[in-house]
Amino acid sequence: MSPTRHAAARALLSDPLTNKGTAFTAEERDEFGLHGLLPPHVGTLDSQIERRRKALEEKESDFQRYAFLRELQDSNEVLFHALVQSDLPRMLPLVYTPTVGEGCERFSEIWRRPRGLFLSYPNRDRISDILADPAYDRVKVIVVSDGERILGLGDQGAGGMGIPIGKLALYTACAGIHPSEVLPILLDLGTDNHARREDPLYVGWRAPRVRGQDYDDFVEAFVSAVDDRFPGVLLQWEDFAGKNAYDLLVRYRDRLLSFNDDIQGTAATAVGTLLAAIGRTGVPLTEQRVVLFGAGAAGSGVAEMLVQAMMADGLDEKAARARIWAVDRDGLILSDIPRLPQQQLKLARDPAEIEGWNVSGQNMISLQEVVANVHPTVLIGTSGQKAAFDERTIRTMAEKVERPVVFPLSNPISRAEAHPADILEWTEGKAIVGTGSPFGTAGVTQVNNVYIFPGVGLGALASGATAISDGMFMVAARRLGELSDASYDGLLPAVTELREVALEIAVAVAAQAQTEGLATAEPEALTRESIAASMWQARYA
């Protein structure tokens, strides 16, 4: 066999998109010169899944299982995705939340081989050249982060790459996007996390974070390069800090087919799950009293979508906003607080509204005091503050509400506002509970963005949408709420149904894109059958 053929055989096995391991048939081994490079056993995808599953479960911790799955993905993409799709309830917490949090914190110690792109500030003049690699010719979906606000863990620098990798694994698992069509990107603009920067194993650029005009110029160079290289690509902004998250969404949402999952995806998931919850309480959305704890990107996004949903159900904007109280690090957000972030201005209450409240002081109205005076029917946490929903606050809420809805949504588990089992105990089982991470508590729903973003992305791509509108997220939220099934303990369909959920939401989103004049695809491409046929299944070619 010639040296060229030997090299081609090794390249075939080294590329995770073409490697089949022992599943290469005898005929393929003859054709590609693989004899000797593989053991003689000829396996099947099913037998490989069982072998990998056994090895996975022998690991001693979920972090070790996360690292094992990352290595499998980097060696054999089809087997990795087939294993994930074979048992979504078991695999999703390992591939993404909550385990991905530790995966980001320890990213540098387990980094083995390239996946995705690290676009670092020192290479700001090379972005177009880096993107020009022909390996990316098929890319349809990009998830990008700058690593500054990873889950509730804060600045993880280059370790934030774990988030785009994990999110794109879910795009493939749930929406059937082919693994060759996805590209994770980390914008490495340094880190202000001193422990990361001083870690001798750290793989990122060792410098304080670039900010201000230099940051904006870098992102502009990135967006321009993406726009030139990938016309029509879907770009998902992920885990940017609050102000940057909002600024980038506003600046680029009409220039690229793009959205921010922390703002829009979280909002649609929370609102959709809330619609399912109030369907069981019997109290209309327009009569709910909602307290939001944490008014950053996620919390503010939830608030704005709730306002729009209440307005669609009959309230005017003033009346809708009057039913939402937002609490942040300085307590209840009031209009006389100086230098409020832009996204919080619409959430601020007039100080005159709290005259007569029973509070300990006027400088800061605490969450517990807001709950005691408002008597909310819904309490949502996006604060990243562990145990913020304490026993006194939850019991106070339950005293005035027959079926309180409580959503401690912060990830990972170490940052959750409360443990769901405690909420159920403090409310004598009356609460309807949804959490951001999987706790394994019976009757508790995981309010995970995976119920929304894969379907939104699939629907946008299938329709050839030129933009992703608020209306598309609203129909996604309402469709999710409609999928609630009383036969489930929780509010949302089982995790085993996530591919079907993504398809249902994609059909609704594609139809909304057509209604709004944003779709460029022919009508026959928007049918349920056409979209389902486009979803990739993990099988060997």
Side-chain angles (χ1 to χ4, degrees):
M1 194 164 70
S2 69
T4 300
R5 195 156 185 254
H6 278 296
R10 291 187 178 280
L12 190 68
L13 296 175
S14 298
D15 186 342
L17 287 169
T18 59
N19 181 28
K20 296 165 62 172
T22 59
F24 279 108
T25 65
E27 293 76 15
E28 288 170 333
R29 297 179 192 208
D30 288 339
E31 180 178 354
F32 300 121
L34 300 176
H35 292 292
L37 296 175
L38 295 169
H41 168 72
V42 177
T44 64
L45 181 57
D46 287 341
S47 66
Q48 288 178 323
I49 289 172
E50 289 311 309
R51 183 181 292 113
R52 294 299 87 196
R53 193 194 311 277
K54 183 176 186 298
L56 178 77
E57 295 306 338
E58 288 175 351
K59 302 299 179 184
E60 296 182 354
S61 69
D62 280 350
F63 174 72
Q64 291 179 350
R65 296 182 182 100
Y66 171 86
F68 174 87
L69 288 169
R70 283 288 300 106
E71 289 191 12
L72 178 60
Q73 185 180 16
D74 286 341
S75 63
N76 186 328
E77 291 257 19
V78 173
L79 178 53
F80 165 79
H81 289 293
L83 177 59
V84 170
Q85 292 174 28
S86 73
D87 189 357
L88 286 175
R90 174 65 176 136
M91 299 298 166
L92 258 58
L94 300 177
V95 171
Y96 202 63
T97 54
T99 317
V100 73
E102 187 174 359
C104 290
E105 291 179 307
R106 301 174 65 180
F107 183 87
S108 293
E109 70 181 77
I110 64 170
W111 189 87
R112 296 291 184 273
R113 56 184 294 174
R115 172 165 294 275
L117 293 175
F118 292 85
L119 302 180
S120 63
Y121 189 73
N123 287 323
R124 57 192 177 278
D125 296 327
R126 299 187 177 98
I127 294 176
S128 293
D129 289 341
I130 293 170
L131 294 179
D133 188 334
Y136 309 131
D137 285 350
R138 294 182 58 185
V139 167
K140 294 181 179 178
V141 183
I142 292 172
V143 174
V144 62
S145 178
D146 70 355
E148 186 173 8
R149 201 235 59 170
I150 297 300
L151 304 174
L153 301 171
D155 190 346
Q156 298 301 318
M161 178 58 110
I163 297 297
I165 290 172
K167 279 290 173 82
L168 287 168
L170 302 186
Y171 264 109
T172 298
C174 303
I177 307 298
H178 192 283
S180 68
E181 298 173 345
V182 304
L183 180 60
I185 295 180
L186 192 285
L187 305 182
D188 188 358
L189 292 126
T191 176
D192 290 337
N193 185 326
H194 183 76
R196 296 288 167 270
R197 221 165 53 220
E198 298 303 315
D199 182 353
L201 298 180
Y202 183 60
V203 297
W205 181 47
R206 296 172 186 271
R209 275 197 174 272
V210 174
R211 300 195 182 277
Q213 191 60 51
D214 288 339
Y215 178 95
D216 291 342
D217 290 345
F218 181 90
V219 176
E220 172 60 29
F222 163 71
V223 169
S224 296
V226 167
D227 199 17
D228 289 341
R229 175 69 170 92
F230 306 111
V233 75
L234 171 68
L235 187 143
Q236 178 172 316
W237 304 97
E238 192 70 38
D239 283 5
F240 288 76
K243 185 179 186 304
N244 287 334
Y246 269 91
D247 289 350
L248 296 176
L249 176 62
V250 171
R251 189 178 306 152
Y252 295 116
R253 66 181 303 176
D254 295 324
R255 182 168 155 189
L256 291 174
L257 183 67
S258 64
F259 67 92
N260 184 295
D261 188 49
D262 303 300
I263 299 172
Q264 296 161 289
T266 300
T269 308
V271 170
T273 312
L274 178 57
L275 291 173
I278 64 179
R280 299 190 185 183
T281 67
V283 179
L285 179 63
T286 54
E287 296 178 18
Q288 299 292 328
R289 298 182 300 279
V290 182
V291 169
L292 283 163
F293 183 61
S300 299
V302 172
E304 291 307 310
M305 181 167 278
L306 278 173
V307 169
Q308 296 304 313
M310 289 180 180
M311 290 172 64
D313 286 357
L315 295 183
D316 61 30
E317 183 175 359
K318 181 178 180 181
R321 293 192 180 282
R323 306 201 73 81
I324 300 172
W325 289 259
V327 183
D328 208 55
R329 62 171 59 89
D330 295 322
L332 178 66
I333 298 176
L334 298 170
S335 58
D336 61 355
I337 295 176
R339 297 182 297 280
L340 282 175
Q342 184 66 33
Q343 71 268 19
Q344 294 183 3
L345 292 176
K346 291 183 178 180
L347 303 178
R349 311 289 296 213
D350 188 331
E353 295 181 42
I354 65 171
E355 292 180 3
W357 277 25
N358 182 20
V359 296
S360 59
Q362 296 297 317
N363 292 332
M364 189 183 100
I365 312 302
S366 69
L367 171 64
Q368 201 282 327
E369 290 171 328
V370 172
V371 169
N373 286 276
V374 169
H375 308 305
T377 56
V378 178
L379 177 60
I380 299 175
T382 57
S383 67
Q385 300 300 307
K386 181 181 179 180
F389 296 173
D390 60 17
E391 180 174 0
R392 181 185 177 194
T393 298
I394 297 301
R395 287 192 181 277
T396 298
M397 181 182 182
E399 286 175 0
K400 300 290 185 178
V401 180
E402 179 59 31
R403 300 220 60 192
V405 177
V406 185
F407 290 173
L409 299 182
S410 292
N411 283 312
I413 287 174
S414 63
R415 303 285 177 161
E417 286 81 7
H419 194 293
D422 290 334
I423 296 172
L424 292 171
E425 178 185 347
W426 298 334
T427 63
E428 299 178 354
K430 297 188 302 180
I432 298 175
V433 184
T435 61
S437 288
F439 280 83
T441 304
V444 172
T445 298
Q446 187 185 0
V447 188
N448 191 312
N449 290 17
V450 72
Y451 280 97
I452 287 289
F453 73 81
V456 169
L458 179 60
L461 291 172
S463 64
T466 56
I468 298 180
S469 68
D470 291 339
M472 292 158 73
F473 272 102
M474 185 62 76
V475 298
R478 290 195 181 277
R479 186 71 188 108
L480 180 61
E482 292 167 356
L483 293 173
S484 176
D485 189 332
S487 66
Y488 294 123
D489 285 339
L491 300 169
L492 301 178
V495 171
T496 54
E497 304 298 320
L498 278 173
R499 281 179 75 91
E500 185 65 23
V501 171
L503 178 57
E504 290 291 333
I505 288 176
V507 172
V509 166
Q512 182 67 18
Q514 186 177 44
T515 297
E516 295 185 34
L518 297 172
T520 61
E522 296 298 323
E524 55 266 25
L526 308 184
T527 66
R528 191 178 193 281
E529 293 72 23
S530 294
I531 296 175
S534 73
M535 298 171 70
W536 178 73
Q537 296 279 353
R539 300 190 185 99
Y540 286 131

